[in-house]
Amino acid sequence: MDKIKMTTPLVEMDGDEMTRIIWQDIKDILICPYVDLQSEYYDLGLVKRNETDDQITIDAANATKKYGVAVKCATITPNAARMPEYNLKQMWKSPNGTIRAILDGTVFRSPILVKGITPYIPTWTKPICIARHAYGDVYKNTEMRVEGGSKAELCVTKPDGSEERSLIFDFKSDGVIQGIHNLDKSIGSFARSCFNYALDQKIDVWFATKDTISKTYDHRFKDIFAEIFEAEYKDKFEEAGIEFFYTLIDDAVARVIRSEGGYMWACKNYDGDVMSDMIATAFGSLAMMTSVLVSPDGVYEFEAAHGTVQRHYYKHLKGEETSTNSVATIFAWTGALRKRGELDKIPELCDFADKLEAATIKTIEDGVMTGDLYLISTLENKKKVNTKDFLNAVNERLAESMA
Ligand code: NAP
Ligand code: MG
């Protein structure tokens, strides 16, 4: 069989611990036998980040801007315990944060559904894609405790030096205050990323805020989404047969629970933080969550939503058998290869991505799965396999469909 040719390299970002092991295995077992893989390789493993003073992360993000599509392995975000473990020069920032800042992107998370893993909400038969605005609000706040007898005001000093003031509260007793902000530009980028990704996936967009209570702040989000939609996306959505729908956050929460899934739920920063954890848990397993960072100008970076699975890695290092779920990492690869295929007009590459995804799902639905799924699957003929045997089982099915 001739291997599928690529015309533009994929930006490949390697990572850490158990996912780094899986990364190599996925390439060796599932990708390279079928695809003449062209990638520009960046090692974002902590050792290399430390060696290069994290320049490698910046280079990888810039390469992603240049080529348009990247696939990333999970990486360690160092904490105090990692300083001696990796002999670090400093506590390097989260690579995901660095990359997101350079690409100005939004992260979309969607679960992979398989028979035998039933969501806690039984009506959810299609994935719910969560989009979280990752700028401002309470994550960049200023807070103070206030002593009784104090008066708190919002004060803005304008470019001409004049001041605009507004009373927050006249404190008769002790209390607290908080100042938060957001930027029209960031909200606009978020809106465009959501609309672009919805068009790409052919799914409706739901967006919700608390604009009835927050009549200026949250209302600005609502207005910016509406303005950008009307001016740039209305026709494209009509053509694609999808909808943009705005509602109050309370109403959105109720509708999500009653829905069958199959749409994007765009959330403000805090709503996205907590709701993405709820959605991930309700769909069954963090190891079955995909994640893609999309910039407003249409650059894509695919990854798994989970981390480096540290506990399994230490077992692996001791020579013990592991049963780590590679599904979300496989789907990061298929997402990236499919996108590359679409951009470069290589239908065989898109077809390969479809077949690899189908083979992965079929393996689990045939009852062959890793320990995390084995614990929750309702299939009767289920069998727990180790990390590598799962990949080999996927390859048996993939080879059949590629033949
Ligand atoms: P984690 O790696 O997601 O693992 C948390 C636990 O979830 C694991 O211990 C495991 O449970 C289970 N799990 C997650 N993924 C799994 C998989 N693929 N297969 C089977 N079980 C899986 O999160 P963490 O332990 O909090 O973080 C470890 C490292 O990952 C940290 O250094 C963190 O900075 C990094 N991290 C990176 C990213 C990223 O790059 N996107 C995201 C999150 C965290 P059991 O141990 O009970 O089996
Ligand atoms: Mg959270």
Side-chain angles (χ1 to χ4, degrees):
M1 197 194 73
D2 281 346
K3 288 192 191 181
I4 300 162
K5 294 267 182 300
M6 293 177 64
T7 52
T8 315
L10 204 58
V11 176
E12 177 187 346
M13 305 182 196
D14 208 342
D16 289 298
E17 301 195 311
M18 200 59 207
T19 41
R20 188 181 179 99
I21 308 287
I22 289 175
W23 193 259
Q24 191 62 47
D25 286 344
I26 290 175
K27 281 178 22 180
D28 291 347
I29 299 170
L30 296 175
I31 314 267
C32 293
Y34 305 97
V35 179
D36 194 6
L37 180 67
Q38 279 194 44
S39 76
E40 199 166 290
Y41 179 87
Y42 292 87
D43 183 359
L44 299 199
L46 189 48
V47 173
K48 192 74 182 184
R49 277 183 276 146
N50 191 51
E51 236 174 71
T52 63
D53 294 340
D54 210 22
Q55 184 60 37
I56 190 90
T57 309
I58 295 162
D59 292 346
N62 287 328
T64 306
K65 264 189 163 167
K66 176 176 167 196
Y67 291 112
V69 186
V71 58
K72 179 181 170 290
C73 179
T75 45
I76 292 169
T77 299
N79 56 13
R82 302 294 195 173
M83 298 294 290
E85 185 183 357
Y86 283 87
N87 200 9
L88 298 180
K89 297 185 214 164
Q90 50 169 283
M91 221 187 274
W92 305 108
K93 284 195 220 148
S94 149
N96 290 47
T98 303
I99 296 165
R100 194 167 60 210
I102 292 174
L103 300 181
D104 183 23
T106 298
V107 172
F108 299 90
R109 292 191 159 188
S110 312
I112 301 154
L113 302 192
V114 290
K115 258 188 240 115
I117 313 289
T118 320
Y120 286 91
I121 310 290
T123 52
W124 288 357
T125 53
K126 297 177 193 162
I128 295 170
C129 170
I130 282 260
R132 171 181 171 189
H133 182 213
Y135 180 82
D137 298 355
V138 71
Y139 302 87
K140 255 193 174 350
N141 67 359
T142 307
E143 307 181 311
M144 284 181 207
R145 287 180 65 169
V146 180
E147 191 187 321
S150 316
K151 189 169 81 173
E153 288 176 296
L154 270 183
C155 171
V156 175
T157 312
K158 302 194 178 178
D160 67 3
S162 66
E163 287 183 351
E164 185 181 338
R165 284 170 181 269
S166 175
L167 179 72
I168 297 173
F169 198 67
D170 214 339
F171 284 84
K172 302 285 181 254
S173 61
D174 295 357
V176 283
I177 58 167
Q178 177 182 67
I180 60 172
H181 81 281
N182 223 297
L183 298 172
D184 288 3
K185 183 169 176 280
S186 172
I187 302 165
S189 293
F190 176 52
R192 286 190 181 89
S193 294
C194 288
F195 293 142
N196 286 341
Y197 191 59
L199 280 168
D200 190 74
Q201 297 288 303
K202 305 253 177 310
I203 50 177
D204 292 346
V205 176
W206 297 13
F207 181 50
T209 71
K210 193 76 180 175
D211 63 291
T212 48
I213 299 295
S214 172
K215 289 183 167 57
T216 303
Y217 195 102
D218 275 20
H219 214 285
R220 191 75 196 120
F221 282 77
K222 178 183 179 178
D223 287 345
I224 289 174
F225 264 71
E227 283 158 20
I228 290 177
F229 181 74
E230 283 298 320
E232 301 169 30
Y233 292 93
K234 199 166 186 242
D235 297 343
K236 292 180 197 160
F237 268 51
E238 244 170 56
E239 214 171 286
I242 58 173
E243 281 179 8
F244 167 53
F245 167 66
Y246 178 86
T247 187
L248 198 63
I249 185 75
D250 318 50
D251 180 50
V253 169
R255 282 173 189 261
V256 164
I257 297 298
R258 289 197 307 264
S259 77
E260 58 170 18
Y263 49 86
M264 173 194 298
W265 184 10
C267 291
K268 285 183 61 199
N269 209 349
Y270 174 79
D271 299 340
D273 183 353
V274 292
M275 289 304 162
S276 63
D277 283 334
M278 184 193 74
I279 296 279
T281 308
F283 269 106
S285 169
L286 183 61
M288 298 291 277
M289 268 282 171
T290 63
S291 182
V292 52
L293 176 73
V294 183
S295 78
D297 49 352
V299 167
Y300 288 74
E301 184 231 289
F302 295 84
E303 64 170 335
H306 61 77
T308 59
V309 213
Q310 183 180 10
R311 205 180 59 86
H312 295 211
Y313 179 59
Y314 292 156
K315 272 177 76 177
H316 170 85
L317 287 182
K318 279 193 264 167
E320 291 171 33
E321 187 168 80
T322 59
S323 183
T324 312
N325 190 331
S326 50
V327 173
T329 308
I330 296 174
F331 274 62
W333 275 98
T334 53
L337 290 170
R338 182 184 296 107
K339 181 49 76 184
R340 203 59 276 165
E342 284 168 14
L343 293 174
D344 299 341
K345 309 222 165 10
I346 309 173
E348 309 87 73
L349 203 54
C350 301
D351 181 59
F352 171 75
D354 292 346
K355 285 183 168 149
L356 177 48
E357 287 182 3
T360 307
I361 289 172
K362 186 168 190 317
T363 305
I364 300 168
E365 295 187 344
D366 283 347
V368 181
M369 59 194 83
T370 45
D372 56 315
L373 296 185
Y374 182 83
L375 286 175
I376 55 174
S377 173
T378 56
L379 293 184
E380 270 167 20
N381 61 338
K382 61 183 176 181
K383 184 177 137 208
K384 177 179 160 178
V385 293
N386 68 33
T387 310
K388 203 147 188 173
D389 284 350
F390 179 77
L391 293 170
N392 286 324
V394 172
N395 187 40
E396 276 170 32
R397 289 155 183 85
L398 176 63
E400 238 170 68
S401 67
M402 292 297 290

